[in-house]
Amino acid sequence: MDNITRRKFIRMGAQGVALATIPAIFRINPAMAFSPGLSESSDLDDYMRHFGVDRDLIRKTMGLALENGGDYCDLFFQHSSSSYVALEDDIVNRSYTNVDFGVGIRVVKGDQTGYSFTEEITPEAMKLAAKTAASISAGTAPGTIASLALYPTPDYYPIKTKWEDVGIDQRIPAVNRINAAMHAADKRVIKTSVSFSDNNSYIMVATSDGRIACDYQPMLRVSGYCTAEQDGKRESNGFDLAGRRGIEFVTNESLDRIGSEAVNRTVNLFDAVMPEAGEMPVVLAAGSSGILLHEAIGHGMEADFNRKGTSIFADKIGKPVAEKFVSIVDNGKNANVRGSINIDDEGQDSQETYLVRDGILESYLHDRISAKFYGVKPTGSGRRQSFRFAPIPRMRNTYMTDGPHEVKEIIGNVKKGIFVSQFTNGQVDIGAGDFTFYVKSGNLIEDGKITKPIKDINLIGNGPNCLKKVTMVANDMAMAEGGWTCGKGGQGVPVSMGLPTILVSSITVGGIS
Amino acid sequence: MDTKGRLELAHWVAKTARAVGAADAAVDIYRSRSVEVEFRDGQLDLVKESTQNSLNIDVYVDDRFSGHSTNDLRRDSLGSFIKKAVAMTKYLGKDVFRKLPDPKYYKDIKAIDLKLVDDSYDSVEAAQRVKMARNLQELTAGKSDKIISSTAGYYDGDNESIKVHSNGFEGITQSTVFSVGVQVTIDDGNGGRPTDWDYATTRFLSNIPDAETQAQAAVDRVVAKVGQAKIESGQMDMVVVNRAAGNPLYALYGPMGGRALQQKRSFLEGKLGEKIASDQLTVIDDPFIERGLGSRHYNGEGMAARKRTLIEKGVLKEFLIDCYYGRKLGVDPTGGSTSNVIFTYGDKSLDDLIAGVSKGILVTSFIGGNTNGTTGDFSWGLIGMLIEDGKIVKPVNEMNISGNLEGLWGNLVAVGNDPYLYSSLRRPSFHFKDVQFAGL
């Protein structure tokens, strides 16, 4: 396809708008070798050797970065490799791989940022990048550098075999099995496609306040997609599973489930109708409905928008924003979940952060700059897409904790409304608080019962207003299983989300009248 | 490494791939240098500068195919990279449709200067970039006492793309790009902090609008949002301002593509030569516009670029089919992607279009939503203004529109005279009738 996709480095406005979306499947990807390999038990020296640096070079580079009086600097080393294997027309007929390697150098002065990166980790290239980043500060007295100490990294996503040690011959049977499951599930299926993508990322962060931390970050996403035909009508839909997982997660059961779910979700659309247009009660199913939280509150709680005064939540900390039974968490520590991180990309501890506790707005999501601005501890939310970007506050896994109601009770409570369960994408306008999310499938609720399927409608609401309208919360919290990627400021990072079944008493539903 | 060195490297990579067992190879090497500056609320907020390289190789081995990219351009690393790429391809299934393009499509590349490089790029200095961002931010901040925050940004980039195919294609494209704009947030007095922006992206620095114009446009847009609220659901006219009109157009791109057609995921299948929109809509793909953001001599597959009509007076004239899906579909490839997309523009300004609406909504931006390309059904969120009796009455938000793309484009009443020049999609403002809005 077009190479333009590789070069979208230009930010064309609309920076206040943040997106969460399942990415189109193109050349994400790969795996090849750089010098000495790292193992699960690698220590700091292995990471240093892998990136071809030592403490002396790191210290010298920091010295250059801070020579104009910057307050703080960090070096972010990354080696990432990914693989993508796909099937179309019943043949595993394409594979893409990608290798990415480099170091980003950041200098912070107050809340100002100087940034540069280099894809060649050599003393000369690092010197140049450090001097460029240093230009954010115009002073003469050099900033201070503490001596580097290794910071221990926990492991919230243990896996058995790293993806670089898994051959393509192990991925191909999985892809074929999903395809067979889709064809076996329903005769109406006329086209299928399957993709299997995985990624290894090694990172090492060194900070001028003396911390050095390393992490190995695996990722897996497997997806099935199909088109079915009935009486001349066609529909397409799919299903995917994703997480910080190893190949041991790829079992016959999980593969068959991807196949059968993809088909069920497609053929159900033949009977689907569009609901009426306008405001109505909406019941959100447990799981990926957590996209509501991601858009309605999560982005607005990222502290960069708040320190700049551009978030609708900028003056609401400590204030009631929802019913007492509503608590919302952003957590980086959920085992093997897609948005989990052992450390953030500034080398800070991962954390379970309460955005809302018992209905009260409790904490923003901080990176170093905003934590310093507000005089609080970082929340481990400083994340970046790669070494090419400075870290900014980001969500990890955002979900609501269980509430006091039963699912039956919630659905029984709705006379006329909709039940929504599958989503493709969402978006929010941080300042105005308007947020949307797109419903791929769900059902009508009539007189307290789930009835006809619905499809292809957008929901739109206002974050703070919508939180107040969460009137019932069940006790069946589930995390999303699929591969969500959140976009902000031109950077995509993997996230997840979750929700128990909840009732939002009123929200505007796209539809017909 | 200079351009010559990179071109030699691309040939070496293609040759090496063939030496280790590939029947054919396509190699792309990209290099880009960019600088970004942001000035926020009276101080420099961000300076970012970098140069990056990447190399992509597609290998064709015994009717099998895979693609690989890396940013490590050292020859010894690339040697083992290519070997592994070819070795792993042998595990994949045979796909006889996957080949390099027929070299006949490489011919007829026009030797014209598309003016994609601004020679003044090299003379732009660091202080000038900061000054431009600062000036724009300060002008913006002075325009309203409701402003909470404003950030102005300056970006420039210098890009090079080299393409070599083992069956005879060689191409080098160089271009510059500049992007300057401002984002502004105000206090609406009611708990909301609406934000809007004005950004322009151009090939030449001299085509960036002056700072006063950008500052005023951004502030006017955001101030107009104060008091926005949803209104009753219903069928009304819709005017979409050019800047926001990408949504309904981009929604057609997927279903017009070879992949969607071959995979039976396109509501446009079988509709070549048929009406899919009203007479008002004529869409042309023109790669030869001087300084155009989408201008090119050849496309991503190396096929010679050509000007073509995609939709003529509502009739679908051409699909977007690349070589691979063309072979699978048994049709000639038309080129899988668009370059600059232009229209047969009308004679009405945006104000004229608004004046022609008795009751409707002016959409100033879409937010979220999606399209089902298999059926053509869509549903999008929007922000805009209520129009009554040809006049803008009040701001609206938190509303959706839903329908089917054929129905929407069939109801296109008028096309504006105002192409949006800061995108390769040079869309005008559009006026549609009978659109289904969801609000209260």
Side-chain angles (χ1 to χ4, degrees):
Chain A
M1 295 289 164
D2 203 322
N3 296 315
I4 296 288
T5 50
R6 299 180 52 84
R7 315 180 71 198
K8 283 189 178 164
F9 303 118
I10 316 163
R11 293 199 297 167
M12 287 190 256
Q15 298 168 66
V17 171
L19 295 149
T21 182
I22 293 182
I25 297 165
F26 60 98
R27 304 195 162 182
I28 25 173
N29 326 305
M32 304 284 150
F34 276 84
S35 49
L38 288 168
S39 69
E40 196 73 21
S41 58
S42 292
D43 65 13
L44 179 59
D45 289 343
D46 293 329
Y47 273 85
M48 291 267 197
R49 264 198 303 279
H50 185 78
F51 289 110
V53 296
D54 56 27
R55 282 170 191 263
D56 189 45
L57 176 58
I58 289 174
R59 209 181 154 75
K60 272 187 187 150
T61 307
M62 286 181 173
L64 290 169
L66 294 180
E67 72 180 357
N68 297 346
D71 300 332
Y72 163 86
C73 76
D74 54 31
L75 274 57
F76 180 84
F77 297 86
Q78 185 180 34
H79 177 196
S80 156
S81 58
S82 48
S83 153
Y84 174 85
V85 176
L87 169 145
E88 195 178 276
D89 290 321
D90 303 323
I91 309 168
V92 183
N93 61 0
R94 64 196 68 177
S95 171
Y96 299 103
T97 70
N98 176 256
V99 178
D100 212 14
F101 188 77
V103 57
I105 298 174
R106 172 175 67 150
V107 174
V108 175
K109 174 76 179 173
D111 52 7
Q112 302 166 271
T113 301
Y115 200 80
S116 186
F117 64 84
T118 171
E119 299 170 306
E120 288 171 47
I121 304 185
T122 60
E124 303 72 43
M126 285 170 71
K127 184 177 168 182
L128 204 64
K131 282 182 170 287
T132 304
S135 70
I136 192 69
S137 182
T140 48
T144 54
I145 304 163
S147 74
L148 290 172
L150 178 65
Y151 193 75
T153 307
D155 191 2
Y156 302 123
Y157 28 84
I159 65 166
K160 283 189 177 153
T161 311
K162 288 183 305 164
W163 284 106
E164 66 204 45
D165 297 326
V166 176
I168 188 170
D169 54 328
Q170 286 175 271
R171 296 175 174 97
I172 288 172
V175 170
N176 279 322
R177 187 168 180 114
I178 294 172
N179 188 45
M182 285 196 282
H183 283 298
D186 198 298
K187 280 186 185 139
R188 289 170 288 179
V189 171
I190 54 169
K191 284 282 182 186
T192 55
S193 52
V194 181
S195 70
F196 187 115
S197 54
D198 52 76
N199 177 272
N200 280 311
S201 179
Y202 294 96
I203 63 167
M204 180 170 79
V205 195
T207 69
S208 63
D209 57 6
R211 181 174 288 194
I212 187 160
C214 308
D215 194 24
Y216 167 71
Q217 302 176 332
M219 187 63 77
L220 168 69
R221 178 167 183 257
V222 187
S223 108
Y225 197 83
C226 68
T227 301
E229 192 170 64
Q230 173 183 297
D231 305 328
K233 269 177 66 182
R234 286 178 190 160
E235 288 287 357
S236 312
N237 204 351
F239 182 73
D240 71 308
L241 293 175
R244 295 204 182 275
R245 303 279 188 181
I247 187 103
E248 65 276 4
F249 180 69
V250 183
T251 61
N252 286 343
E253 291 71 33
S254 62
L255 297 169
D256 292 347
R257 183 164 161 248
I258 292 170
S260 60
E261 279 281 346
V263 172
N264 285 341
R265 286 165 187 241
T266 304
V267 297
N268 283 343
L269 297 177
F270 287 127
D271 303 319
V273 295
M274 267 205 180
E276 257 178 56
E279 285 191 349
M280 65 187 74
V282 175
V283 175
L284 292 112
S288 61
S289 302
I291 187 171
L292 169 95
L293 305 178
H294 183 100
E295 306 297 359
I297 174 168
H299 277 298
M301 294 298 283
E302 290 165 341
D304 49 347
F305 296 121
N306 290 287
R307 74 175 164 84
K308 295 174 188 175
T310 58
S311 166
I312 196 161
F313 291 103
D315 48 8
K316 293 191 168 61
I317 288 283
K319 294 184 180 163
V321 292
E323 297 278 356
K324 283 204 171 103
F325 48 77
V326 172
S327 292
I328 301 168
V329 176
D330 184 84
N331 193 347
K333 297 160 69 167
N334 308 95
N336 296 101
V337 173
R338 182 170 163 89
S340 292
I341 45 176
N342 290 329
I343 49 168
D344 75 3
D345 297 329
E346 303 182 300
Q348 300 287 341
D349 287 333
S350 196
Q351 199 188 67
E352 178 187 44
T353 311
Y354 273 80
L355 305 178
V356 176
R357 196 192 296 266
D358 304 328
I360 309 290
L361 202 67
E362 183 163 305
S363 172
Y364 297 133
L365 296 171
H366 290 287
D367 61 1
R368 275 176 176 269
I369 292 176
S370 70
K372 196 174 168 206
F373 179 91
Y374 284 101
V376 298
K377 285 185 179 165
T379 57
S381 309
R383 303 184 65 191
R384 42 183 138 199
Q385 175 174 307
S386 74
F387 67 87
R388 294 188 177 83
F389 299 90
I392 48 176
R394 301 302 293 262
M395 283 174 267
R396 296 156 301 198
N397 306 308
T398 313
Y399 53 93
M400 188 181 290
T401 58
D402 278 339
H405 304 101
E406 298 287 333
V407 176
K408 258 193 200 164
E409 186 188 352
I410 291 177
I411 291 166
N413 199 274
V414 177
K415 273 227 150 359
K416 191 180 165 197
I418 59 170
F419 173 82
V420 293
S421 51
Q422 190 191 1
F423 312 90
T424 60
N425 57 288
Q427 188 172 343
V428 60
D429 184 335
I430 307 290
D434 286 5
F435 72 94
T436 76
F437 55 105
Y438 187 83
V439 176
K440 186 62 206 173
S441 62
N443 295 82
L444 295 179
I445 304 178
E446 296 169 298
D447 293 324
K449 290 195 180 63
I450 286 183
T451 62
K452 278 185 206 138
I454 57 167
K455 62 167 190 142
D456 292 318
I457 44 156
N458 201 42
L459 304 193
I460 189 162
N462 176 276
N465 290 346
C466 182
L467 286 177
K468 285 181 203 142
K469 291 178 183 171
V470 176
T471 51
M472 297 177 91
V473 177
N475 49 10
D476 59 343
M477 205 305 277
M479 294 300 291
E481 299 177 286
W484 291 88
T485 297
C486 169
K488 171 181 168 185
Q491 299 194 51
V493 296
V495 294
S496 191
M497 54 208 41
L499 200 70
T501 303
I502 68 166
L503 172 64
V504 180
S505 60
S506 171
I507 191 164
T508 294
V509 175
I512 49 170
S513 53
Chain B
M1 215 184 326
D2 58 6
T3 300
K4 192 168 160 250
R6 284 186 286 271
L7 182 63
E8 276 170 18
L9 180 66
H11 280 287
W12 178 82
V13 169
K15 209 173 123 192
T16 304
R18 282 165 60 101
V20 298
D24 266 312
V27 182
D28 292 284
I29 297 179
Y30 306 99
R31 180 186 174 279
S32 68
R33 193 177 100 76
S34 63
V35 182
E36 195 179 339
V37 172
E38 281 182 8
F39 207 86
R40 176 176 65 88
D41 301 332
Q43 78 170 19
L44 189 61
D45 200 48
L46 173 76
V47 173
K48 185 175 171 182
E49 187 170 342
S50 54
T51 299
Q52 55 190 331
N53 295 281
S54 71
L55 182 146
N56 187 84
I57 177 169
D58 288 347
V59 296
Y60 300 80
V61 187
D62 303 333
D63 290 333
R64 295 172 168 89
F65 166 84
S66 67
H68 309 266
S69 60
T70 177
N71 69 342
D72 181 1
L73 269 51
R74 293 171 300 180
R75 284 199 189 202
D76 33 338
S77 313
L78 285 171
S80 70
F81 180 81
I82 296 163
K83 234 181 244 174
K84 286 186 184 178
V86 171
M88 78 116 81
T89 308
K90 293 177 179 166
Y91 286 92
L92 296 166
K94 281 202 176 199
D95 183 349
V96 296
F97 301 108
R98 193 65 87 164
K99 293 176 189 139
L100 282 177
D102 186 322
K104 74 180 179 190
Y105 296 113
Y106 304 156
K107 292 177 191 163
D108 309 323
I109 289 178
K110 290 196 179 178
I112 49 172
D113 181 5
L114 296 173
K115 301 207 167 28
L116 304 184
V117 176
D118 182 350
D119 290 331
S120 74
Y121 177 86
D122 289 328
S123 60
V124 180
E125 286 178 13
Q128 190 185 346
R129 296 180 175 111
V130 174
K131 197 177 154 195
M132 284 177 72
R134 177 183 197 137
N135 181 38
L136 178 54
Q137 194 266 318
E138 287 174 353
L139 274 173
T140 304
K143 292 214 176 284
S144 164
D145 53 10
K146 290 184 181 142
I147 293 174
I148 299 170
S149 178
S150 56
T151 303
Y154 170 95
Y155 170 99
D156 65 38
D158 172 20
N159 306 311
E160 179 194 88
S161 148
I162 289 173
K163 176 182 282 297
V164 166
H165 291 181
S166 60
N167 69 346
F169 183 88
E170 177 188 300
I172 300 173
T173 299
Q174 278 159 337
S175 61
T176 51
V177 65
F178 298 85
S179 189
V180 178
V182 64
Q183 172 179 308
V184 55
T185 302
I186 58 169
D187 183 344
D188 72 358
N190 193 29
R193 296 171 183 235
T195 296
D196 218 308
W197 52 271
D198 190 84
Y199 258 83
T201 300
T202 60
R203 291 258 174 242
F204 281 58
L205 184 56
S206 59
N207 290 120
I208 295 282
D210 69 87
E212 173 60 29
T213 305
Q214 289 201 300
Q216 193 65 53
V219 173
D220 286 349
R221 285 185 188 119
V222 72
V223 168
K225 285 180 167 176
V226 173
Q228 55 190 358
K230 60 184 136 183
I231 60 167
E232 288 287 328
S233 305
Q235 275 204 357
M236 283 175 274
D237 281 16
M238 172 170 78
V239 176
V240 182
V241 65
N242 61 1
R243 194 172 74 151
N247 263 45
L249 289 162
Y250 287 127
L252 294 172
Y253 281 27
M256 285 173 75
R259 182 171 195 211
L261 292 163
Q262 193 271 334
Q263 288 293 303
K264 302 190 183 296
R265 288 179 205 160
S266 171
F267 76 98
L268 294 174
E269 188 185 326
K271 294 196 173 146
L272 207 59
E274 290 185 18
K275 285 272 271 189
I276 61 160
S278 84
D279 292 346
Q280 297 294 317
L281 188 67
T282 295
V283 184
I284 295 156
D285 180 24
D286 185 354
F288 304 125
I289 298 173
E290 283 186 1
R291 303 189 181 195
L293 289 166
S295 297
R296 62 193 186 192
H297 293 96
Y298 52 88
N299 73 10
E301 294 188 287
M303 295 169 70
R306 65 187 172 90
K307 188 172 174 177
R308 53 182 171 164
T309 301
L310 300 173
I311 297 170
E312 187 171 26
K313 293 188 174 171
V315 175
L316 180 60
K317 302 297 277 188
E318 205 170 288
F319 285 122
L320 305 171
I321 299 175
D322 66 11
C323 292
Y324 176 68
Y325 287 103
R327 281 186 211 102
K328 275 194 156 178
L329 288 162
V331 300
D332 285 337
T334 63
S337 62
T338 56
S339 58
N340 302 296
V341 172
I342 59 174
F343 297 79
T344 297
Y345 301 103
D347 52 10
K348 289 182 175 169
S349 66
L350 177 60
D351 287 343
D352 295 338
L353 293 177
I354 292 167
V357 172
S358 59
K359 184 167 188 195
I361 286 178
L362 169 69
V363 174
T364 54
S365 61
F366 284 106
I367 172 168
N370 208 329
T371 306
N372 179 339
T374 306
T375 61
D377 295 333
F378 68 86
S379 186
W380 302 316
L382 64 91
I383 295 164
M385 313 291 289
L386 175 66
I387 307 168
E388 280 175 351
D389 301 323
K391 293 200 169 57
I392 286 174
V393 180
K394 60 179 181 181
V396 297
N397 71 338
E398 219 184 311
M399 296 183 69
N400 288 308
I401 60 166
S402 303
N404 188 276
L405 287 171
E406 270 193 89
L408 179 74
W409 284 110
N411 283 339
L412 177 66
V413 181
V415 172
N417 63 358
D418 54 347
Y420 184 70
L421 298 176
Y422 307 120
S423 162
S424 60
L425 177 58
R426 297 187 170 199
R427 66 273 190 177
S429 299
F430 292 109
H431 174 189
F432 302 90
K433 65 177 181 187
D434 299 337
V435 174
Q436 177 66 54
F437 287 86
L440 289 170

